[in-house]
Amino acid sequence: MRVPLGLLLPVLLVELLVPSWALQPHSPESQAGLETLEPKDSQNQTWGDMQGPPDEEEEEKEKGEAWLRACVQQLSNATSNLGFSLLRKISMQHDGNVVFSPLGVALAMAGLMLGANGQTRAQVEHGLQLQALSEPQPLLLPALFKQLRETFSGSLELGLDQGSFAFIHKDFDVKETFLNLSKRYFDTEFVPTNFRNASEARGLMNYYINKETQGKIPKLFDEIIPETKLILVDYILFKGKWLTPFDPILTEADTFHLDKYRAVKVPMMYRQGKFASTFDRNFHCHVLQLPFRGNATMLVVLMEKMGDHLDLEDYLTTDLVETWLRNMKTRKMEVFFPKFKLDQKYEMHELLKQLGIRRIFSPLADLSGLSATPRNLQVSKVLQQSVIEVDEKGTEAVAGTLSEIIAYSMPPIIRVDRPFHFMIYEETSGMLLFLGRVVDPTVL
């Protein structure tokens, strides 16, 4: 029997307030897109209508594929580092439980970039560390996200579903080009909404989100401002299945230490078997891999000493995680891992401002890709709500160097009975899907 991890589900909200709107088509150049990432009527056109020996065509194809892999890797690295930066900003606000989706934030901001121009767009690119992928071709970044979305949705075992809604005021005309690009690259569904009737609008939007998240997030919207013209919502539903499940019969109540002085009782899962792990001597932490079906993995990072988990966050980078992964060694072990459920909502726009992305949230925003009269047009909200439930039953819910990393120091028994971090990533692309911190498994 394959047992699902349970659910990991973020919903991302982007709200725009505008005084008036008009249509203005994008330039033909911006509509061109990155055609090499899109299917064509003639498959041979992907690598150019090259005429020459088969060896030359094969060589060009290999070069193109290598370039594409490099772009995806660059996108994955940037998204991961964005996630680590956001985690550090969240930790400045509180030291409790955390769960959010770096991929969800990146998707939402990339969608907004379709309507942003000038310094507004450049600031978002810089803040997300995506300049290298945006400057060569404006639609390279959306095309890469589209390919990733299609890859994820095409894997039934991965259990990852992503979608996007645009709730539009009923008398508001969004630029046709923006609508088309949003549909093409992010498969956005547009829903006419009467924002002047706040109660009706709130009910309608909560209905759609509740339905798409299978009841896991029944009330994303608490209040609606009547002046709102457009709200963008992104959601990701992850129903991961452990590659090797935990046996629920072996789950028992056990102690989880919150700190040196406090502890709680939690349902502690148990499994004996072969696990990939490593020990980072530099940071004094154990790193354990818990694989899912469909080329996804949870990394669990457990500090050796109680209370050191927050210190690690200052050093989390893509390079450090890649070093851990390179030094994994598989061995027979016993693992004790707590069941937990987290439900967190964050005002991502406030965190993004701290990363230098400010103009898009101010009256200086240039969103002329959305409106021909963009004065006073700005993004007012970027909210993300994430839910994760980890258990053995599968309840669905939505810089160390090589010399400092040793792969044989993981103890034969690892007991995750104190605060820890987790990362869930897709192995083929290296994309960080979710990032979290569990300080108290008994608290949402």
Side-chain angles (χ1 to χ4, degrees):
M1 179 180 68
R2 298 297 187 188
V3 182
L5 153 76
L7 140 80
L8 197 45
L9 172 70
V11 169
L12 202 73
L13 158 72
V14 180
E15 179 179 302
L16 290 87
L17 303 181
V18 298
S20 60
W21 293 83
L23 291 174
Q24 176 180 317
H26 275 204
S27 64
E29 290 81 6
S30 67
Q31 300 181 41
L34 185 93
E35 299 301 337
T36 56
L37 297 183
E38 303 281 340
K40 288 191 172 186
D41 294 336
S42 172
Q43 296 296 325
N44 291 333
Q45 291 178 342
T46 300
W47 303 109
D49 297 328
M50 295 180 58
Q51 301 298 325
D55 288 346
E56 291 184 11
E57 294 182 7
E58 187 64 27
E59 182 179 349
E60 289 301 317
K61 182 177 181 179
E62 290 177 357
K63 288 181 180 179
E65 291 174 345
W67 171 82
L68 181 55
R69 285 194 300 270
C71 288
V72 171
Q73 184 63 56
Q74 193 170 353
L75 176 59
S76 298
N77 290 347
T79 302
S80 295
N81 285 325
L82 170 66
F84 299 140
S85 296
L86 289 172
L87 177 61
R88 286 186 277 272
K89 297 304 180 183
I90 292 172
S91 293
M92 294 173 66
Q93 299 177 352
H94 70 84
D95 57 4
N97 294 337
V98 174
V99 61
F100 68 97
S101 172
L103 173 60
V105 178
L107 279 168
M109 296 309 293
L112 280 174
M113 284 168 61
L114 292 175
N117 290 309
Q119 289 298 314
T120 300
R121 179 186 175 96
Q123 199 174 76
V124 175
E125 292 172 352
H126 181 77
L128 300 182
Q129 302 178 39
L130 293 173
Q131 309 98 304
L133 293 177
S134 297
E135 293 171 357
Q137 165 55 251
L139 294 181
L140 170 58
L141 188 59
L144 289 172
F145 273 121
K146 178 181 180 180
Q147 184 178 69
L148 283 174
R149 287 177 47 253
E150 291 175 347
T151 299
F152 295 160
S153 62
S155 173
L156 298 179
E157 286 197 324
L158 180 60
L160 185 69
D161 186 28
Q162 184 271 334
S164 176
F165 283 104
F167 297 97
I168 308 172
H169 188 59
K170 62 179 185 178
D171 61 1
F172 164 57
D173 293 323
V174 185
K175 278 190 172 183
E176 185 176 356
T177 304
F178 179 80
L179 297 180
N180 292 339
L181 292 176
S182 297
K183 181 66 177 178
R184 178 181 183 183
Y185 291 107
F186 298 98
D187 196 27
T188 304
E189 181 178 345
F190 294 90
V191 182
T193 308
N194 181 12
F195 287 110
R196 293 195 180 95
N197 187 331
S199 178
E200 176 186 296
R202 183 175 63 249
L204 175 67
M205 292 187 292
N206 281 333
Y207 167 78
Y208 271 89
I209 299 304
N210 181 57
K211 180 180 178 181
E212 290 302 318
T213 61
Q214 302 173 19
K216 306 306 177 183
I217 299 183
K219 190 180 179 182
L220 177 65
F221 299 95
D222 295 321
E223 61 180 34
I224 299 297
I225 301 174
E227 291 78 19
T228 300
K229 297 298 182 183
L230 172 65
I231 290 181
L232 303 179
V233 178
D234 280 85
Y235 67 88
I236 301 177
L237 178 62
F238 178 64
K239 293 177 281 189
K241 299 179 180 180
W242 296 120
L243 188 61
T244 304
F246 291 85
D247 188 342
I249 297 178
L250 302 178
T251 299
E252 297 180 350
D254 206 343
T255 301
F256 187 95
H257 301 275
L258 306 180
D259 53 37
K260 294 179 180 179
Y261 310 103
R262 298 178 300 152
V264 294
K265 289 292 184 180
V266 300
M268 190 72 74
M269 302 183 294
Y270 170 82
R271 182 160 67 84
Q272 183 182 45
K274 291 184 176 182
F275 294 87
S277 61
T278 190
F279 180 78
D280 188 326
R281 179 176 292 175
N282 188 35
F283 291 103
H284 300 282
C285 64
H286 304 287
V287 186
L288 174 70
Q289 268 187 322
L290 298 176
F292 304 118
R293 298 168 59 181
N295 292 322
T297 292
M298 174 184 281
L299 273 190
V300 179
V301 186
L302 183 69
M303 300 303 292
E304 191 173 35
K305 294 183 179 180
M306 174 71 67
D308 288 351
H309 59 284
L310 294 177
D311 296 333
L312 176 67
E313 293 177 1
D314 290 335
Y315 302 96
L316 284 176
T317 63
T318 300
D319 290 339
L320 178 58
V321 174
E322 288 179 349
T323 302
W324 289 339
L325 294 175
R326 283 196 305 268
N327 289 275
M328 288 284 174
K329 181 179 180 180
T330 301
R331 62 180 298 182
K332 189 174 182 180
M333 296 169 54
E334 294 178 74
V335 170
F336 294 83
F337 193 63
K339 295 170 61 172
F340 65 91
K341 180 178 180 178
L342 305 180
D343 187 341
Q344 302 277 314
K345 182 187 291 187
Y346 294 102
E347 295 185 341
M348 287 295 176
H349 52 285
E350 296 296 338
L351 300 176
L352 291 169
K353 288 178 185 178
Q354 296 177 43
L355 297 182
I357 305 176
R358 299 186 181 91
R359 184 177 288 263
I360 198 170
F361 305 113
S362 77
L364 298 175
D366 179 359
L367 293 172
S368 53
L370 283 169
S371 170
T373 56
R375 288 186 305 168
N376 301 320
L377 169 60
Q378 65 189 78
V379 178
S380 63
K381 290 183 181 179
V382 178
L383 304 181
Q384 186 183 91
Q385 184 165 353
S386 302
V387 180
I388 176 175
E389 186 171 355
V390 178
D391 64 16
E392 75 288 72
K393 297 179 180 179
T395 302
E396 291 187 0
V398 188
T401 63
L402 283 173
S403 62
E404 295 174 323
I405 307 295
I406 50 178
Y408 51 81
S409 291
M410 179 68 78
I413 298 177
I414 180 166
R415 189 180 297 271
V416 184
D417 61 355
R418 53 194 181 276
F420 63 93
H421 290 85
F422 66 87
M423 309 169 201
I424 296 181
Y425 65 94
E426 198 275 331
E427 294 181 341
T428 304
S429 63
M431 178 62 70
L432 181 60
L433 306 176
F434 304 96
L435 176 60
R437 177 179 68 209
V438 179
V439 176
D440 186 346
T442 66
V443 176
L444 289 177

